[in-house]
Amino acid sequence: MNFRIILLSALVVLSTALTHTNTDTCTPTRGKIYHPGNDHQFHDTINQFDLVVADFYADWCGPCKQMHKVIDDLATDSECDDILFIKVNTDVHRGLSHQFGITGLPTIILFVDGKPIKRLHGYHSKRDLKAAIKSTFRVPQA
């Protein structure tokens, strides 16, 4: 009897948490990391912001996990305040993966005014990725 009550209580809590965790309401902000809820939100976002770094990853990918740390650091770097960072889970957003021809992970795509300008494959150090961002986006040196 007690087991059933505990199980039902846990299911109610889990159900409530899942219904109130809605990524569709997440608003992208420059200098932050955005996780689009669907493909439409991704496209709206890359068209809304001038400079976007999109990190295509999968949870099971080791190099992707290393890149998360790099992306997280760059998102808080004051020299990257005008850039929006987007993380796209390729297992969830298969349509975007297909559309952008993602065949290896991680893949970083730099967008300017909604258009893909540069593509980087594999792991890159913070210094190397920052240099690629600066040269692509023509970010002035501090």
Side-chain angles (χ1 to χ4, degrees), residues 8-28:
L8 286 173
S9 297
L11 288 173
V12 168
V13 169
L14 180 60
S15 174
T16 303
L18 290 175
T19 58
H20 288 92
T21 307
N22 185 354
T23 57
D24 292 346
T25 60
C26 181
T27 304

Side-chain angles (χ1 to χ4, degrees), residues 2 6-7 9-10 15 19 21-22 27 33 40 45 52 95-96 98-99 103 107 139 141:
N2 287 338
I6 293 171
L7 182 60
S9 297
S15 174
T19 58
T21 307
N22 185 354
T27 304
I33 296 173
H40 180 72
T45 302
V52 175
L96 290 174
H98 179 72
Q99 178 184 356
T103 57
T107 296
V139 175
Q141 297 291 331

Side-chain angles (χ1 to χ4, degrees), residues 51-142:
L51 309 174
V52 175
V53 174
D55 173 20
F56 289 83
Y57 74 96
D59 289 334
W60 48 264
C61 168
C64 297
K65 292 175 185 177
Q66 292 175 319
M67 279 307 302
H68 283 331
K69 295 174 188 170
V70 171
I71 297 290
D72 292 348
D73 283 349
L74 286 174
T76 59
D77 189 316
S78 62
E79 291 183 67
C80 298
D81 281 347
D82 292 334
I83 299 168
L84 177 68
F85 293 86
I86 300 178
K87 289 187 180 179
V88 181
N89 186 330
T90 56
D91 290 332
V92 174
H93 300 284
R94 294 181 190 271
L96 290 174
S97 301
H98 179 72
Q99 178 184 356
F100 291 104
I102 306 300
T103 57
L105 297 174
T107 296
I108 309 290
I109 301 178
L110 308 180
F111 291 87
V112 175
D113 297 327
K115 295 176 178 61
I117 302 298
K118 187 172 201 151
R119 181 181 292 254
L120 304 165
H121 301 281
Y123 173 80
H124 294 273
S125 69
K126 179 181 177 181
R127 188 184 80 217
D128 291 344
L129 183 55
K130 189 173 184 177
I133 288 170
K134 283 183 175 187
S135 67
T136 303
F137 295 158
R138 304 198 195 302
V139 175
Q141 297 291 331

